[in-house]
Amino acid sequence: MQMFDRPVNLREQVRRAYLNLGPYQIYLKEYPKDQKQRKFINAWFKMFPSWLEYSPTTNASYCFLCYLFNDKPNVRSGYDAFTVKGFNNWKKVNDGKNCAFLNHIDSSQHRNAVTYSENLLNQATHIGNVFEKQSQEQILKNRLRLKTSIDVVRWLTYQACALRGHDESTNSKNRGNFLEMLKILASYNDEVAKVVLENAPYNSKYTSSDIQKEILDIIANKVRCHIRSEVGDSYYCVMVDESRDESKKEQMAIVLRFVDAQGIVRERFLDLVHVRDTLSLTLKTCLWNQLLQHKFDVQKIRGQGYDGASNMRGKWNGLQALVREYCPCAYYVHCFAHRLQLALVSASTEIIPVHQFFSNLVFTINVVCASSKRHDELQKAKADEIQKLLDLGEIGSGSGLNQVRTLSRPGDTRWGSHFKSVCSLIEMFDVTRVVLQGIIEDLSHTTHSQRGDADTAYGYLQSFEFVFILHLMKELMGKTNDLSKALQKKSHDILNAMELVSSTKDNLNTFRNNGWDSFFAKVTFFCNKLQIDLPDMEAPYTSTRYRPRKKDLHVTFGHYYRVDLFNAILDKQLHELNSRFNEETIELLSLSSSLTSKEINVDEICLLVEKYYPQDFSDQEKIQLRYQLEIFNIEKSKNINLSGASTISDLCKSLVDTKKRETYYLVDRVIRLILTLPVSTATTERGFSAMKIFKNRLRNKMSDDYLANSLVIYIEKEIAENFDSESIIEEFKNLKGRRAEL
């Protein structure tokens, strides 16, 4: 839309918004050519940084300033070349004194536009300030008042607290967090008290909801600009996930993973975008809009991290396929933490006794923790047990020891909660039985159904099979719990993650082959201690669930528990881990694995570059890479700092610390490309966890921009803390015309 088509009273606000964003200067690897094979050159941006713009849609250049101050249609020929139609006669640019860009600078239209832009940004010349010139003392008061509001907004956002109150009138007993915090600051500082709240001018209190949102928007945009500067010209990975918020809106979280100038892997939360639906095309459009809005080069994308949903991973119409149409080297990696959870879920649901065990586990916990009275009885019974053990001297006392805990319910989406639930039941097994026995015997205060449920749950706890699977699940999930936590760290590179998976599989395989005797002895000791009947392992096992292959085959209890449960559950778990984390099917990871070995396989790394990253290395660089790798191999064995790097992340940082990055810049480029590949989408999940804190039942009408800005500041707090209030005030002043001078 041209400026003369906009309402007159909105033009100044639109111009300020555009001036804050600056000219649209997109750097493309290859610009479109015209019929005579001429094209736009990005070096022109450096020659004319303040006004030259380029549109990839129309393949034409425009004048940023002339467009902003073009208040009426031009009737003279050629005056609309840089504002409406666009200029694309590239032949006339490099034409010495007749250069079209130089001629445009000398035109009166452009000179007037430059003058208008300078006057607009100079608030001192604003007409409102000309008629009402304020003293320097009043300006300092205005800035102090605004600085106080900025500090309060920022602190409350760091703590994920609501800004507004239900009733903010002067007669209200609770005017909301923002105003109450201002009141506290004013009580400790007389200078602040003189300029805020009732002592502030009516037209510049800086306490309205609009002012609060403007402050949030400024800080959030400064955080996003900092992230953009951190990425720079580096390759980066996009990680996307979507979830519903409290108001049933579908929100898409966008996280960028990259390696910064110090060689450290960063994962930054960029934005939260409301999407109409979860179709792959919708997600791709929103993702592209956000990246281009913040001036990211989409052709620098070298990785994609999503979950395993079909709209994400689809090879033909999924989001990863749509992104790879523009970025062929943006390889998709299914979230490792999500893979692990799927493997655990599959192992639990496909083994019938395990599936029934978790159903019985949830049922038992629900019966015991169904009411506050039973919960209190459970904790009292545990406290009595601890006191008894202390008196007998079986346990020691100390700070933090022998805490009275409770049973934990397993969650559907967090497999780690199942491990916590299993451990809590083992720890409180005996007192749980005591509470259930009390419910069964309490005829006056319980119903028939309650006593029946308690009796059923008590029967589960007295079953040897339930106890056996309970301990087996603790061992199994305990061995994978560390892997699950490790995969959710931001600093992990994909090679290190594959090594962790391999170590976990070896640990499970060792436990499967050699751990039966020690495990069964532990279960037997537990049962004897709590007086749970043990079956005769040599006796024939009979069950309607077990069907032998031959009628004359006699299966003993020992065979059933060792082969049909212990071995079967571990075999299923190993099978799932092998199928979902198969290194042989991921050739890219296999080829890059030698980077962390004592001697780098030069042929494999060169093959990796040739096959997976041909666009990122020229033919000459591919030849030179081989020689750099050969020399780097020799120096790596001699340099302690380089040889001591155990992971590819450490190797990348060592190259920066030892200042070898410039020498082996091609090796460094390969390492950074590998590190860009994501391990998990845990950062996006953390974003959704923060979203539930901000947008809860009492704050379910937050606008999308307000929510997104709050999350960016809350999650990237370490960046937001670096911005001083003065810089925020300057941007606030330039955002639009203010009644009070700042």
Side-chain angles (χ1 to χ4, degrees):
M1 182 185 294
Q2 292 297 314
M3 196 59 62
F4 50 75
D5 291 330
R6 297 182 184 273
V8 176
N9 57 339
L10 294 179
R11 291 180 187 176
E12 180 180 340
Q13 185 177 352
V14 173
R15 284 169 178 150
R16 285 182 181 276
Y18 271 109
L19 287 170
N20 286 329
L21 291 172
Y24 184 75
Q25 299 179 341
I26 180 170
Y27 288 82
L28 300 179
K29 205 167 188 178
E30 189 68 29
Y31 290 89
K33 297 180 180 179
D34 58 16
Q35 295 179 351
K36 296 184 179 180
Q37 300 300 307
R38 298 188 181 96
K39 62 180 180 179
F40 184 87
I41 301 174
N42 55 22
W44 295 338
F45 286 142
K46 297 180 180 179
M47 297 171 63
F48 309 101
S50 62
W51 62 270
L52 182 61
E53 292 188 314
Y54 173 78
S55 169
T57 307
T58 61
N59 188 26
S61 59
Y62 298 84
C63 179
F64 177 62
L65 299 177
C66 291
Y67 161 75
L68 291 183
F69 297 95
N70 186 20
D71 278 335
K72 58 183 179 180
N74 293 303
V75 294
R76 294 179 60 182
S77 175
Y79 268 56
D80 57 354
F82 284 89
T83 56
V84 181
K85 295 181 180 179
F87 177 83
N88 58 2
N89 191 355
W90 313 125
K91 177 182 177 182
K92 293 187 176 181
V93 178
N94 296 324
D95 195 16
K97 295 182 179 181
N98 297 323
C99 174
F101 291 165
L102 296 177
N103 292 334
H104 176 71
I105 293 176
D106 292 334
S107 66
S108 59
Q109 179 188 13
H110 183 82
R111 290 199 300 270
N112 291 336
V114 173
T115 304
Y116 294 153
S117 66
E118 292 174 351
N119 292 338
L120 181 61
L121 292 176
N122 186 4
Q123 194 178 9
T125 62
H126 193 273
I127 188 170
N129 296 323
V130 172
F131 286 107
E132 188 180 351
K133 187 66 177 176
Q134 301 179 1
S135 65
Q136 187 65 27
E137 182 181 357
Q138 185 61 42
I139 294 175
L140 293 177
K141 290 182 178 179
N142 294 338
R143 294 180 75 91
L144 177 60
R145 189 182 312 116
L146 178 57
K147 179 181 182 297
T148 307
S149 295
I150 291 172
D151 291 340
V152 173
V153 168
R154 183 153 48 174
W155 188 88
L156 290 174
T157 307
Y158 289 163
Q159 303 303 317
C161 297
L163 301 180
R164 306 298 304 278
H166 176 69
D167 181 8
E168 295 188 344
S169 63
T170 54
N171 299 326
S172 174
K173 294 182 179 179
N174 185 354
R175 301 178 66 187
N177 293 331
F178 180 82
L179 294 178
E180 294 294 337
M181 180 65 72
L182 276 181
K183 190 186 299 184
I184 291 177
L185 292 178
S187 67
Y188 281 91
N189 191 312
D190 293 337
E191 292 186 7
V192 174
K194 293 176 182 178
V195 297
V196 299
L197 298 175
E198 287 75 15
N199 296 327
Y202 178 77
N203 62 350
S204 58
K205 289 181 177 294
Y206 303 127
T207 57
S208 68
S209 60
D210 292 338
I211 295 296
Q212 294 169 9
K213 291 177 181 178
E214 285 181 7
I215 293 172
L216 279 175
D217 187 64
I218 290 172
I219 300 175
N221 284 329
K222 288 176 75 68
V223 172
R224 295 184 183 105
C225 290
H226 179 84
I227 295 173
R228 178 65 189 92
S229 64
E230 273 189 324
V231 176
D233 294 331
S234 304
Y235 303 108
Y236 62 95
C237 161
V238 291
M239 296 188 293
V240 174
D241 202 356
E242 69 276 347
S243 177
R244 279 203 314 176
D245 61 17
E246 184 66 26
S247 60
K248 304 300 184 290
K249 286 184 177 181
E250 196 73 35
Q251 304 285 0
M252 181 179 74
I254 302 175
V255 174
L256 302 184
R257 177 185 171 94
F258 59 93
V259 184
D260 64 8
Q262 286 73 39
I264 302 173
V265 178
R266 302 286 187 186
E267 288 185 4
R268 298 296 191 190
F269 185 90
L270 182 67
D271 216 338
L272 186 79
V273 186
H274 169 53
V275 292
R276 301 186 309 274
D277 51 61
T278 57
L279 296 176
S280 56
L281 183 59
T282 304
L283 299 180
K284 185 259 177 184
T285 302
C286 293
L287 173 63
W288 239 237
N289 289 341
Q290 293 303 116
L291 292 176
L292 293 176
Q293 178 183 341
H294 300 297
K295 300 181 181 180
F296 284 95
D297 186 357
V298 295
Q299 294 184 351
K300 290 283 188 178
I301 300 176
R302 289 299 179 271
Q304 303 177 71
Y306 319 126
D307 58 20
S310 58
N311 64 329
M312 295 294 199
R313 63 177 174 83
K315 293 184 178 180
W316 306 107
N317 295 318
L319 177 60
Q320 65 105 357
L322 297 179
V323 172
R324 290 193 66 178
E325 288 181 3
Y326 292 87
C327 312
C329 296
Y331 299 110
Y332 162 68
V333 178
H334 185 184
C335 171
F336 275 42
H338 191 252
R339 289 190 199 182
L340 179 62
Q341 180 166 326
L342 291 176
L344 293 169
V345 170
S346 178
S348 67
T349 56
E350 294 188 17
I351 305 293
I352 295 177
V354 178
H355 175 73
Q356 292 179 340
F357 162 78
F358 280 111
S359 299
N360 299 337
L361 174 67
V362 173
F363 176 81
T364 303
I365 294 175
N366 288 338
V367 171
V368 176
C369 301
S371 65
S372 300
K373 177 184 176 182
R374 296 181 189 176
H375 180 267
D376 292 342
E377 291 176 354
L378 182 70
Q379 291 202 318
K380 183 179 181 302
K382 184 61 179 177
D384 294 341
E385 181 188 48
I386 292 174
Q387 185 60 46
K388 181 180 178 181
L389 293 174
L390 285 172
D391 294 340
L392 295 174
E394 294 186 12
I395 59 175
S397 60
S399 177
L401 298 178
N402 308 319
Q403 298 293 316
V404 179
R405 297 180 175 86
T406 186
L407 296 179
S408 176
R409 288 186 177 90
D412 293 332
T413 58
R414 294 290 181 270
W415 194 252
S417 65
H418 289 68
F419 178 58
K420 184 178 179 182
S421 180
V422 167
C423 292
S424 68
L425 182 57
I426 292 177
E427 182 181 357
M428 307 190 69
F429 195 91
D430 196 27
V431 295
T432 303
R433 291 194 306 175
V434 172
V435 173
L436 290 173
Q437 189 67 36
I439 297 172
I440 296 171
E441 296 174 354
D442 187 3
L443 302 179
S444 58
H445 297 92
T446 57
T447 63
H448 291 288
S449 61
Q450 289 174 341
R451 292 196 297 271
D453 290 343
D455 185 70
T456 303
Y458 188 83
Y460 294 149
L461 298 185
Q462 288 296 110
S463 168
F464 176 79
E465 182 172 327
F466 183 89
V467 175
F468 181 89
I469 299 178
L470 178 68
H471 282 78
L472 182 56
M473 287 297 104
K474 178 188 176 183
E475 293 290 333
L476 176 60
M477 289 187 287
K479 296 180 185 302
T480 56
N481 189 53
D482 291 338
L483 173 63
S484 179
K485 291 181 179 179
L487 292 178
Q488 297 176 42
K489 293 181 180 179
K490 296 181 181 180
S491 58
H492 266 305
D493 59 80
I494 199 163
L495 292 180
N496 192 21
M498 292 301 296
E499 292 176 0
L500 283 171
V501 173
S502 179
S503 300
T504 302
K505 289 191 291 186
D506 292 340
N507 190 14
L508 287 174
N509 194 45
T510 303
F511 179 63
R512 190 257 187 211
N513 295 329
N514 306 318
W516 165 257
D517 293 334
S518 59
F519 170 74
F520 188 74
K522 185 186 299 182
V523 176
T524 303
F525 175 78
F526 184 86
C527 292
N528 291 331
K529 179 181 177 182
L530 299 179
Q531 298 179 353
I532 298 174
D533 294 335
L534 275 75
D536 183 3
M537 292 298 164
E538 302 299 327
Y541 178 80
T542 56
S543 173
T544 56
R545 186 172 60 222
Y546 187 89
R547 294 184 179 180
R549 299 173 189 171
K550 298 180 181 180
K551 294 182 180 179
D552 59 345
L553 178 63
H554 296 286
V555 177
T556 62
F557 276 95
H559 180 277
Y560 170 73
Y561 283 109
R562 178 164 188 174
V563 177
D564 293 346
L565 285 183
F566 184 83
N567 289 350
I569 292 172
L570 288 170
D571 287 343
K572 182 62 182 177
Q573 185 65 80
L574 288 168
H575 172 74
E576 290 295 328
L577 289 174
N578 286 326
S579 61
R580 297 181 186 276
F581 298 94
N582 191 349
E583 290 183 82
E584 295 178 356
T585 61
I586 308 176
E587 187 179 3
L588 189 153
L589 302 179
S590 305
L591 293 175
S592 56
S593 60
S594 69
L595 285 169
T596 56
S597 58
K598 292 184 178 180
E599 184 176 353
I600 297 175
N601 191 319
V602 177
D603 293 331
E604 287 188 355
I605 303 302
C606 291
L607 178 61
L608 167 73
V609 170
E610 185 69 37
K611 189 171 184 178
Y612 291 97
Y613 299 105
Q615 300 178 355
D616 300 322
F617 296 83
S618 65
D619 293 338
Q620 183 62 34
E621 286 177 336
K622 292 175 185 176
I623 298 173
Q624 191 175 354
L625 174 63
R626 178 177 292 275
Y627 297 113
Q628 275 196 17
L629 287 168
E630 292 175 352
I631 300 174
F632 182 72
N633 254 336
I634 299 173
E635 184 163 353
K636 183 182 177 183
S637 60
K638 297 179 180 179
N639 193 317
I640 300 176
N641 294 323
L642 296 177
S643 60
S646 58
T647 65
I648 189 173
S649 302
D650 296 336
L651 182 59
C652 184
K653 192 173 184 304
S654 299
L655 283 173
V656 177
D657 295 339
T658 57
K659 298 181 181 181
K660 297 293 183 180
R661 181 186 175 188
E662 292 78 11
T663 306
Y664 303 105
Y665 64 95
L666 295 178
V667 178
D668 178 77
R669 191 186 305 174
V670 174
I671 294 174
R672 288 171 181 264
L673 284 169
I674 300 301
L675 283 175
T676 302
L677 293 174
V679 175
S680 73
T681 57
T683 306
T684 58
E685 296 290 344
R686 294 188 186 98
F688 293 139
S689 298
M691 180 181 71
K692 292 179 181 179
I693 298 174
F694 275 92
K695 197 165 187 177
N696 51 38
R697 183 177 60 84
L698 298 177
R699 303 172 68 188
N700 61 357
K701 293 185 179 180
M702 297 174 67
S703 65
D704 296 330
D705 291 338
Y706 183 22
L707 176 61
N709 291 334
S710 300
L711 287 181
V712 169
I713 298 171
Y714 177 77
I715 297 172
E716 300 299 342
K717 178 182 176 182
E718 60 175 284
I719 298 177
E721 287 179 330
N722 296 326
F723 305 130
D724 61 340
S725 299
E726 295 300 322
S727 64
I728 299 173
I729 292 174
E730 290 300 321
E731 291 201 24
F732 181 85
K733 180 178 70 174
N734 297 328
L735 189 62
K736 64 179 182 181
R738 305 290 178 182
R739 293 182 181 180
E741 188 174 358
L742 293 169

